């Protein structure tokens, strides 16, 4: 396993629970050093009128996430809460949401439409819009979750090991090599690339992954320290709509966490006042509480910058790596991802975007099933939706006019 963030740790957990020995190799000294390192993050499903693959997959993933996270949170192993989450809606009338819920057959224990008054009651502070209440949604600390998963029996964590190349031996085993190592950092029959932005470069000798529709987005979160948080609402359940607002417990230092900005192809790693103000504007949009009038107030804010990897269809990339274009000559039925030939023993898991906590448990288990041959926990249509070969099939359909 290459990559020690949410994707790599969730896959390592699932593979170890399936009875495999897993080595997780990462260039950082600590787990979750990248986008998984924020102090807190949300997990929840969605309700879409079309109820397509994106909504179906997020629904299954959110429900599985709640099952996996509950014992970790209740035991105190991972800071967080599964008391529910409110996601604001653009519809001004709760009845519109109720009609949609009835048409889709959405059960209330998954998502319940609520008006502003009920939303404010559930949040413990003013909420300006109608909302979906996800009773099994919530928040937790991603880095603590990653550490818990990497401590699963059968998982070995290998820090400070940057992988610069993959090689396949004559007998089919995979080796991970560093820039100046005289021996492989790790070797195994199967390798999973879960190293986000580094995946495409490592895959370049084997397939045209650099041409996949990757999107890199800079995100800045804002933390309002406890001493300053009295000027803003402190919701008892997380709020989300464009941005989000999480009330942090005393065990994490108290205060509030809000965010996150989303700037495509932005490489600036410095905290920016404009982004703090943008995050606070989202708080205002959610609750009606404006930033305090003191123009220097923002200087006491804390924050963190990270980069999220996603794809143009907003779905993760999960599964065995397709062969290069040259090897596809003469192959038939390529318009369906499941028929695209693969490279034996080479898998990817990434592009979780801003929903890593929601995607990770279920998709890690799906990857383990793919590798071990166990029954898949997802419908074939949803597996096709995240399969990396979908980019090849999409091109074939576009060329053929299908």
């Amino acid at each position: 396993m290459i990559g020690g963030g949410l994707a790599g740790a969730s896959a390592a957990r699932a593979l170890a629970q399936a009875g495999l020995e897993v080595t997780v190799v990462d260039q950082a000294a600590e787990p979750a050093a990248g986008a998984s390192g924020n102090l807190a993050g949300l997990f929840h499903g969605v309700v879409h009128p079309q109820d397509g693959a994106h909504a179906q997959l997020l629904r299954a993933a959110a429900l599985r996430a709640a099952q996996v996270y509950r014992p970790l949170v209740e035991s105190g192993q991972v800071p967080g809460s599964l008391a529910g989450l409110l996601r604001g809606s653009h519809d001004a009338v709760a009845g519109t949401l109720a009609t949609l819920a009835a048409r889709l057959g959405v059960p209330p224990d998954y998502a319940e439409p609520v008006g502003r008054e009920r939303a404010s009651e559930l949040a413990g502070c003013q909420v300006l819009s109608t909302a979906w209440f996800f009773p099994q949604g919530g928040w937790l600390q991603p880095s603590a979750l990653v550490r818990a998963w990497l401590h699963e029996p059968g998982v070995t964590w290998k820090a400070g090991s940057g992988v610069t190349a993959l090689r396949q031996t004559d007998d089919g085993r995979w080796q991970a090599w560093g820039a100046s190592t005289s021996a492989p950092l790790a070797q195994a029959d199967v390798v999973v690339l879960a190293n986000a932005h580094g995946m495409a470069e490592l895959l370049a000798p084997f397939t045209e992954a650099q041409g996949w529709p990757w999107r890199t987005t800079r995100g800045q979160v804002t933390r309002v320290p406890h001493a300053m948080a009295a000027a803003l609402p402190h919701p008892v359940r997380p709020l989300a709509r464009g941005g989000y607002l999480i009330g942090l417990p005393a065990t994490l230092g108290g205060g509030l966490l809000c965010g996150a900005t989303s700037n495509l192809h932005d490489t600036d790693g410095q905290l920016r006042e404009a982004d703090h103000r943008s995050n606070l504007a989202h708080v205002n949009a959610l609750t009606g509480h404006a930033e305090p009038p003191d123009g220097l107030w923002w200087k006491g804010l804390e924050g963190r910058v990270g980069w999220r990897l996603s794809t143009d269809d907003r779905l993760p990339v999960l599964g065995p790596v397709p062969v290069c274009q040259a090897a596809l000559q003469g192959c038939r039925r390529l318009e369906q991802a499941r028929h695209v030939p693969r490279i034996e023993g080479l898998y990817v898991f990434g592009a979780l975007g801003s929903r890593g906590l929601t995607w990770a448990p279920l998709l890690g288990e799906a990857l383990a099933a793919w590798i071990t041959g166990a029954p898949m926990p997802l419908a074939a249509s949803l597996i096709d939706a995240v399969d990396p070969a979908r980019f090849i099939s999409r091109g074939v359909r576009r060329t053929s006019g299908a």
Side-chain angles (χ1 to χ4, degrees):
M1 185 74 59
I2 299 174
L6 273 171
S10 66
R13 160 195 168 264
L15 287 165
Q17 290 184 350
L20 278 65
E21 294 291 325
V22 184
T23 299
V24 180
V25 181
D26 195 283
Q27 64 182 351
E30 297 291 336
S36 304
N38 286 344
L39 187 61
L42 306 179
F43 58 93
H44 61 90
V46 296
V47 179
H48 289 168
Q50 294 76 27
D51 201 39
H54 187 264
Q56 293 176 36
L57 193 56
L58 273 171
R59 181 163 61 244
L63 293 173
R64 180 57 181 150
Q67 292 174 337
V68 172
Y69 295 156
R70 189 168 300 280
L72 294 171
V73 171
E74 290 180 349
S75 67
Q77 191 173 358
V78 175
S81 170
L82 286 90
L85 174 146
L86 288 151
R87 189 168 188 261
S89 170
H90 295 287
D91 290 300
V93 182
T96 305
L97 303 186
T99 299
L100 176 60
R103 178 171 68 81
L104 296 176
V106 177
D109 59 350
Y110 170 67
E112 177 188 354
V114 295
R116 286 178 292 179
E117 183 176 342
R118 176 60 176 157
S120 300
E121 179 183 331
L122 289 166
C125 66
Q126 178 176 254
V127 175
L128 293 184
S129 69
T130 59
W132 290 103
F133 175 51
F134 292 93
Q136 299 185 60
W139 71 271
L140 52 75
Q141 186 178 33
S143 59
L145 175 66
V146 168
R147 288 193 295 270
W149 280 345
L150 292 178
H151 278 91
E152 286 275 343
V155 177
T156 300
W157 163 250
K158 193 168 186 176
S161 301
V163 177
T164 57
L166 292 178
R167 299 176 190 171
Q168 192 172 26
T169 63
D170 292 339
D171 63 357
R173 286 176 65 79
W174 289 94
Q175 297 178 335
W177 287 79
S180 58
T181 55
S182 57
L185 298 168
Q187 56 183 333
D189 295 328
V190 172
V191 61
V192 177
L193 300 187
N195 56 329
H197 304 88
M199 284 192 295
E201 184 176 351
L202 290 179
L203 288 172
F206 308 102
T207 195
E208 291 84 1
Q210 290 177 318
W212 296 352
W214 304 112
R215 296 167 63 92
T216 299
T217 307
R218 177 190 181 275
Q220 179 175 316
V221 298
T222 297
R223 182 181 181 185
V224 184
H226 176 70
M228 303 170 63
L232 293 171
H234 195 290
V236 296
R237 291 180 172 90
L239 306 178
R241 180 187 170 186
Y244 63 80
L245 179 63
I246 303 173
L248 298 172
T251 53
L252 293 183
L256 301 163
L257 189 72
C258 58
T261 57
S262 181
N263 302 103
L264 191 63
H265 306 314
D266 185 337
T267 60
D268 181 12
Q270 300 299 311
L271 290 172
R272 300 194 294 229
E273 174 189 353
D275 287 3
H276 280 322
R277 292 190 180 279
S278 175
N279 289 334
L280 291 170
H282 280 304
V283 175
N284 181 34
L286 286 165
T287 68
H289 282 69
E291 177 184 341
D294 182 357
L296 298 178
W297 186 82
W298 70 271
K299 291 184 179 294
L301 299 175
E302 301 169 1
R304 186 176 186 273
V305 175
W307 286 267
R308 301 184 292 269
L309 183 68
S310 61
T311 61
D312 64 349
D313 59 12
R314 299 182 300 136
L315 288 167
V317 175
L318 176 87
V321 174
V323 299
C324 64
Q325 291 285 344
L328 294 174
Q329 299 302 314
C331 294
R332 302 175 61 187
R333 302 178 67 185
L334 296 179
E335 70 280 359
Q336 297 183 50
R338 66 189 71 175
H339 296 304
V340 175
R342 310 308 171 105
I343 299 171
E344 187 71 25
L346 182 59
Y347 293 77
V348 290
F349 181 19
L352 304 186
S354 61
R355 297 186 180 274
L357 284 174
T358 305
W359 295 124
L362 179 61
L363 294 190
E365 292 166 354
L367 181 64
W370 219 328
I371 291 171
T372 63
M376 271 288 182
L378 286 171
S381 61
L382 298 183
I383 291 295
D384 287 347
V386 297
D387 190 332
R390 71 186 187 269
F391 306 125
I392 293 174
S393 297
R394 185 188 300 173
V396 170
R397 293 194 298 271
R398 187 182 300 118
T399 301
S400 66

